[in-house]
Amino acid sequence: MNEQSITPPDTSIPEPLIRKKNHFSMIWILPLIAAVIGGWLVYKSIWEKGPVISIIFDNAEGLEAGKTKIKYKNVVIGQVESIKLDADLGHVIVMAQMDKDTESYLTEKTRFWVVRARLKAGQISGLGTLFAGAYIAVDPVHNGMPSSTFKGLDTPPVVTMNKPGGHFILKAERLGSLDIGSPVFYRQIQVGQVEGYLMDDDGKHLSIKIFIDAPHHRYIKKNTRFWNASGLDVSINANGLTIDTQSMVSLIIGGIAFDNLMDSRNNPVAENNDIFTLFDSHGDAMKKDIMKKYQWLLVFKGSVRGLTKGAPVEFRGIHVGEVLDIDTVFKLNSGEILISVLIETQLHQFLPDNTTFDDAKMKKLFNTLVAKGFRAQLKPGNILTGQLFVNLDFHPREPEQKIIWEGKTPQLPTIPATLEEAFAVFNKLLNRMGKIPFEEMAHDLRMVVKNLNRTVKQGDIVLKQINRTVTPELGLTLKQVQTTLKQAKKSLAAVEHLVGSDSALNQDARNALNELAAAAQSMRMLTDYLERHPDALIYGKGDKK
Amino acid sequence: MKKKIIIACHECDLLHRIESLPEGSTALCRRCHAVLLSHKKDSLNRSLALNITALILFFISNAYPLIEIKTEGICRATTLMGGVRNLYDQGFWEIALLVLFTAILFPGFEILSRLYLLLPLKFYKKPWHMSLIIKFIQKIKPWGMMDVFMLGILVSVIKLVKMVSVIPGPSLYSFFALIFVVTGAASAMDFHSIWEKA
């Protein structure tokens, strides 16, 4: 405008185009940067926020809104936002903000529990929470329906879902001292735990869920035997006193042990959730496998005192079965009360493995056995406790009997118990003794005594004769001997007088010896002197100088 | 700057006649060399940009945790407001109020008031109650003590480091930046030119 005033106005000269300066100041970069950072933070906080879930617990002990974390393998994956009671005050609803990408494992099978310091099943866990406060642990499960509401567990699950190993189910009649977390032993090494147990619908059995850690779960075969190793297994039976325990831990908190039978190496490995029987003891568990048990009825006439349910049935010392029941049978026609014992045997275990046999074959087999003297007999197993067991063996000399196949269970012929047998023998002995002719024997004895008396009298006479003829001569001889001895005494006294200590001979001899000693001494003095003064031989002793 | 204005020196009351002041230059008193006016370069854009930046940073500072303290598994993160609330809960309500006003409310009002002035001007409009707002800004300015608060945090963090592990949150950084940006925004503000434009 200043230039306009300087130069004269001239309409012919055009005005320049004025391009407005693009007024972008560098200062605008600053809010831009701030906006980008802010936007990124907002994006992060919105998009990195995972789902909000609710977990229902029985109580909120140790939980704190805004502070308690949700952790998996000690990595924080969420945080408790709020804790409130549900409408009927029965539970606590914990709302938690989870991290991003947690949705994939928040499924209906996912389990949550509160980790606190715990003393359970012989182990202490969660000591760290004493200082840092409780936290919620999660056992993520990938496959399943996505969920956002969960039921929190009261106690930590024994086994997390993705832990390698195998789950198995044991059927038992009683729980013993087992509990969740009780150890499972294999060759006395802990290889698993009891996960849980529940009553079967029929109310007769329990299903105990166990978990065996990898790699030990492959030792579980289709016919693996499990038994309750709870506490101390003390049993007194026909075998004597048995005390069995797996470890001090199982002694206190109970446990389960398992093992395989000798011939099970080629058995297929068990699959997950296979069902097994939990036996009461190691002995029960390891009895030889039986496909089918045969029941027999044994009828005894004698007492069965000492025979109990579960007493072993043996064949020449090999365990083949056990006593199931003991009952009395009243025979109407004979008016007898008999005792029937129901046993269960696995006799066919003596047969080769691949033998298949139907009932007809079995009948024939046992008929031939019994024809050869196969009998059942009660025998004392333990003298101390008086326990009996049923022994099966061949008694070829027994009178012939047959199996009674009629009735519910076939009846195997029996022979009396060994004790009864002994009594029978003793009776026979007594009878035989009754037949001995004691009176005749006494008469004979008297005769013998009489004869003996006569003999003794004759002996007396003989002795008298001896006295009469031999004794006077004997006296004469003795007198002669006496005089001889007197003379000998005299001679000895004379000798003593001659050589005694105070005899003349002795005195003279001593004097002579003394003289000889003195002579020897003077000889030595002479030789000494001559040695020192040899000239004395020529000059004589001479004077002393 | 075609308008002729007469301005008195703040220090010695000497009257000056200012015809025009080029951008980026400062007018000094002839007698005592006190600053009469300074025509800041691109004042409107600069102060607007800085104030918008300040607003964003202010939000970040308040929305995110300032610091996180970790010791033996116990983990505590707190925001600025959370800190105020903790102080209040522990019974230090005076300090809580002081922090609330000096570190949150006053700086916040200051930034918002400036934007209230600057945004309409950018689009050639006159904001309502302009003089009132300018007076308000001048009143609360001395009470914005974010820098003091920041120093306090730094000192306590350094002392805490020995005992616990301190993790600085995003808020701490944005708060740090906010102090500079607010200072810059304040210095870029040219009330004279605002006054003139309005």
Side-chain angles (χ1 to χ4, degrees), chain B residues 7-13 34-36:
Chain B
I7 191 166
C9 173
H10 286 284
E11 307 295 325
C12 61
D13 283 346
V35 176
L36 295 176

Side-chain angles (χ1 to χ4, degrees), chain A residues 1 20 23-25 27-32 34-46 64 66-67 69 71 128 131-133, chain B residues 2 23 42 44-54 56-57 60 64 68 71-77 119 122 124 170-171 174 181:
Chain A
M1 277 195 227
K20 256 203 164 170
H23 225 279
F24 181 78
S25 172
I27 200 75
W28 286 103
I29 290 174
L30 218 57
L32 218 64
V36 165
I37 292 171
W40 177 67
L41 282 170
V42 169
Y43 169 85
K44 210 178 131 184
S45 60
I46 289 172
E64 220 176 301
K67 195 179 156 198
K69 302 269 190 272
K71 293 184 187 179
F131 305 104
Chain B
K2 289 182 288 179
E23 262 189 344
D42 202 11
L44 182 64
N45 274 328
R46 281 190 180 199
S47 53
L48 190 61
L50 284 171
N51 274 306
I52 290 171
T53 313
I56 294 167
L57 290 176
I60 296 174
Y64 286 88
E68 200 172 339
T71 176
E72 298 298 331
I74 303 169
C75 193
R76 251 355 279 236
L119 269 175
K122 176 78 182 165
Y124 310 105
S171 166
S174 78
V181 172

Side-chain angles (χ1 to χ4, degrees), chain A residues 496-515:
Chain A
E496 196 186 353
H497 178 72
L498 205 63
V499 296
S501 59
D502 48 350
S503 67
L505 185 67
N506 203 347
Q507 203 74 28
D508 291 346
R510 202 175 295 161
N511 284 343
L513 276 171
N514 280 347
E515 285 297 307

Side-chain angles (χ1 to χ4, degrees), chain A residues 235-270:
Chain A
S235 53
I236 298 175
N237 52 21
N239 299 323
L241 180 74
T242 315
I243 299 175
D244 188 22
T245 182
Q246 282 293 311
S247 75
M248 281 310 286
V249 176
S250 73
L251 190 66
I252 298 162
I253 61 162
I256 291 173
F258 69 87
D259 205 348
N260 289 315
L261 296 170
M262 285 298 281
D263 55 352
S264 63
R265 219 155 297 155
N266 298 323
N267 242 294
V269 173

Side-chain angles (χ1 to χ4, degrees), chain B residues 171-187:
Chain B
S171 166
L172 192 75
Y173 298 114
S174 78
F175 206 72
F176 198 66
L178 182 62
I179 290 166
F180 288 100
V181 172
V182 165
T183 313
S187 70

Side-chain angles (χ1 to χ4, degrees), chain A residues 40-220:
Chain A
W40 177 67
L41 282 170
V42 169
Y43 169 85
K44 210 178 131 184
S45 60
I46 289 172
W47 287 99
E48 292 209 339
K49 259 188 185 168
V52 175
I53 58 163
S54 58
I55 313 165
I56 298 162
F57 284 108
D58 279 347
N59 70 68
E61 187 196 337
L63 302 182
E64 220 176 301
K67 195 179 156 198
T68 305
K69 302 269 190 272
I70 294 172
K71 293 184 187 179
Y72 176 59
K73 288 182 192 282
N74 246 337
V75 174
V76 176
I77 58 164
Q79 188 170 343
V80 172
E81 298 278 290
S82 71
I83 300 170
K84 59 187 181 216
L85 288 165
D86 70 351
D88 60 356
L89 305 178
H91 296 281
V92 174
I93 301 170
V94 173
M95 303 294 287
Q97 173 66 61
M98 301 301 287
D99 285 0
K100 205 195 168 195
D101 298 332
T102 53
E103 293 102 327
S104 61
Y105 48 78
L106 293 174
T107 60
E108 55 188 356
K109 282 183 189 166
T110 302
R111 297 177 292 179
F112 291 87
W113 66 96
V114 180
V115 177
R116 307 183 182 106
R118 261 174 231 274
L119 176 65
K120 188 153 203 292
Q123 44 197 334
I124 303 168
S125 63
L127 271 188
T129 61
L130 285 182
F131 305 104
Y135 64 89
I136 296 173
V138 58
D139 176 25
V141 180
H142 272 285
N143 33 14
M145 291 289 289
S147 176
S148 64
T149 311
F150 302 92
K151 176 94 182 72
L153 303 178
D154 297 336
T155 51
V158 171
V159 181
T160 50
M161 286 289 181
N162 51 3
K163 197 175 178 185
H167 300 264
F168 304 100
I169 295 165
L170 305 180
K171 294 278 180 190
E173 281 177 12
R174 57 196 180 89
L175 189 61
S177 51
L178 295 176
D179 198 357
I180 292 168
S182 290
V184 177
F185 296 96
Y186 178 59
R187 300 189 188 283
Q188 296 189 334
I189 292 170
Q190 188 181 339
V191 295
Q193 283 173 299
V194 173
E195 278 187 279
Y197 49 83
L198 51 95
M199 183 78 77
D200 282 0
D201 291 335
D202 61 1
K204 284 179 182 167
H205 284 89
L206 288 169
S207 287
I208 300 171
K209 277 191 82 177
I210 61 165
F211 180 80
I212 308 293
D213 299 327
H216 306 290
H217 67 290
R218 62 191 160 85
Y219 299 127
I220 299 195

Side-chain angles (χ1 to χ4, degrees), chain A residues 358-370 405:
Chain A
D358 45 40
D359 282 358
K361 245 182 173 177
M362 223 242 343
K363 267 188 185 181
K364 205 178 149 194
L365 176 78
F366 279 100
N367 278 333
T368 46
L369 283 178
V370 170
W405 289 104

